[in-house]
Amino acid sequence: MAIQWFPGHMHSTRKAIGERIKDIDVVIELLDARLPGSSRNPLLAELTGHKPSVKVLNKQDVADPARTPLWLDWYNAQEGIRAIGLDASEPAPARRLIDACHALAPQRGGMAKPMRVLICGIPNVGKSTLINTLSKKSQAKTGDEAGITKLEQRITLADDFYLWDTPGMLWPRITIPQSGYKLAASGAVGKNAYDEEEVALELLAYLKQPYAPLLEARYKLGLSPAAIDALREEELLEAIARKRGAVMSGGRVNLQKAAELVMTDLRSAVLGRITLETPAEFEAWCTESEAL
Ligand code: G4P
């Protein structure tokens, strides 16, 4: 069953962006470096027209370091886009953001023509954390529940550089099924929109090939990468459940508990540095879903 999610506050976010965009020079879209294709918002392109865009691959500290450069290249090859990687450990991210915006809109700058930037991102992508770092005070509240509305605010990054925040949003309809599962696994979708066991199975079906060594390191299944890959995802979840003691009375495995465990391990990066899609995979999913 495909995942669909459309929290009510997104209507107001759409409106807020629509009203703000005419005075904006560059749009910064914050992406999750663990799912750099699926965490982008196709609606944003519609709402922001042809404004230049900086794609920030955030949380790169928990993404696969071999895959992040592939995604940076993929975005940087697109016209009007500059991509940079960031994570919360970077003490002063403002300089890189400012430089990327100036590269895209060199005509802006100075007090007469200050740079006006809008920052957007789906829930849980780390926008509040980044804004807190940028503004050096806790203006934005961080939290782990997807879909919390926040009021618009303006941050002055330099005398001639203004950054507007908007509430987080996700596209109204997830048209690529694989993206829906990955977004749910990463924590970007409200918990009531998906079934944890179903999402964990989809997640394991993906992880068991490229990330079998990480699964073995975490769950000590005593299996080679090839043996892990050969398991069906149901068998893999069951093996994890037994290893982690997710067993009910009578010896039946508690698949729901095991599903929660796997997703918690992914989100907290206890599983290791993982990126849930490559550019080539994402392009193939886009092509498939258009054909649906
Ligand atoms: P949002 O405004 O876009 O919804 O996201 P927010 O900043 O609230 O961040 C969501 C979660 O992601 C937070 O964790 C935050 O600490 C974490 N996060 C933000 N940036 C980074 C990053 O660059 N790397 C990593 N690894 N994590 C990041 P949380 O568990 O929900 O809350 P808390 O533990 O920080 O209280």
Side-chain angles (χ1 to χ4, degrees):
M1 196 188 81
I3 292 168
Q4 294 189 5
W5 193 49
F6 189 49
H9 76 84
M10 283 173 42
H11 294 293
S12 56
T13 305
R14 266 171 109 138
K15 193 160 168 269
I17 293 178
E19 282 166 6
R20 169 67 51 210
I21 198 64
K22 61 183 187 314
D23 301 322
I24 289 297
D25 304 305
V26 176
V27 175
I28 294 178
E29 185 176 19
L30 221 54
L31 303 172
D32 187 334
R34 298 166 304 173
L35 48 162
S38 294
S39 60
R40 72 181 181 171
N41 190 328
L43 238 196
L44 205 54
E46 262 173 49
L47 291 171
T48 60
H50 298 294
K51 300 279 178 186
S53 176
V54 175
K55 305 291 182 195
V56 174
L57 272 59
N58 198 42
K59 305 193 187 184
Q60 66 171 353
D61 56 313
V62 289
D64 183 339
R67 290 187 170 190
T68 300
L70 302 179
W71 278 105
L72 292 175
D73 288 349
W74 190 76
Y75 275 117
N76 279 321
Q78 296 175 30
E79 209 185 318
I81 291 183
R82 268 184 112 81
I84 58 173
L86 273 189
D87 62 65
S89 70
E90 182 148 331
R95 189 69 258 161
R96 289 215 287 141
L97 287 174
I98 290 172
D99 288 349
C101 291
H102 279 304
L104 285 169
Q107 77 283 10
R108 300 296 305 190
M111 296 306 285
K113 286 191 285 178
M115 181 75 79
R116 300 155 307 174
V117 174
L118 183 73
I119 187 165
C120 307
I122 63 165
N124 214 33
V125 78
K127 189 157 61 87
S128 309
T129 306
L130 177 63
I131 286 171
N132 282 345
T133 308
L134 292 171
S135 59
K136 300 278 191 297
K137 50 187 169 187
S138 292
Q139 290 182 350
K141 193 176 158 293
T142 58
D144 66 355
E145 182 62 24
I148 295 170
T149 313
K150 298 162 195 127
L151 295 174
E152 187 186 46
Q153 60 175 328
R154 194 186 85 172
I155 300 127
T156 306
L157 285 194
D159 287 343
D160 63 346
F161 197 109
Y162 302 140
L163 184 68
W164 272 272
D165 179 27
T166 52
M169 71 175 193
L170 193 74
W171 52 92
R173 192 158 166 267
I174 299 167
T175 51
I176 303 172
Q178 291 90 340
S179 292
Y181 290 121
K182 286 167 202 311
L183 286 160
S186 77
V189 174
K191 284 182 188 141
N192 55 357
Y194 60 90
D195 177 78
E196 278 169 323
E197 205 178 308
E198 185 189 351
V199 171
L201 286 173
E202 290 288 336
L203 176 65
L204 289 173
Y206 181 81
L207 295 180
K208 72 193 178 88
Q209 202 274 320
Y211 294 113
L214 295 184
L215 290 171
E216 176 57 29
R218 174 65 182 153
Y219 300 116
K220 313 271 186 299
L221 303 169
L223 296 170
S224 67
I228 289 179
D229 188 23
L231 289 178
R232 284 185 298 112
E233 49 273 22
E234 291 84 358
E235 295 169 326
L236 186 51
L237 187 60
E238 193 172 327
I240 292 169
R242 293 201 184 282
K243 275 285 170 182
R244 299 303 307 237
V247 180
M248 298 181 286
S249 59
R252 271 194 311 126
V253 287
N254 187 338
L255 293 178
Q256 169 66 25
K257 179 123 184 273
E260 284 168 22
L261 268 169
V262 171
M263 286 204 281
T264 303
D265 286 352
L266 174 84
R267 290 173 190 172
S268 62
V270 171
L271 253 184
R273 297 181 66 171
I274 285 172
T275 299
L276 295 171
E277 56 202 16
T278 63
E281 286 165 349
F282 182 68
E283 281 178 0
W285 298 334
C286 290
T287 309
E288 276 168 29
S289 61
E290 271 161 21
L292 285 179

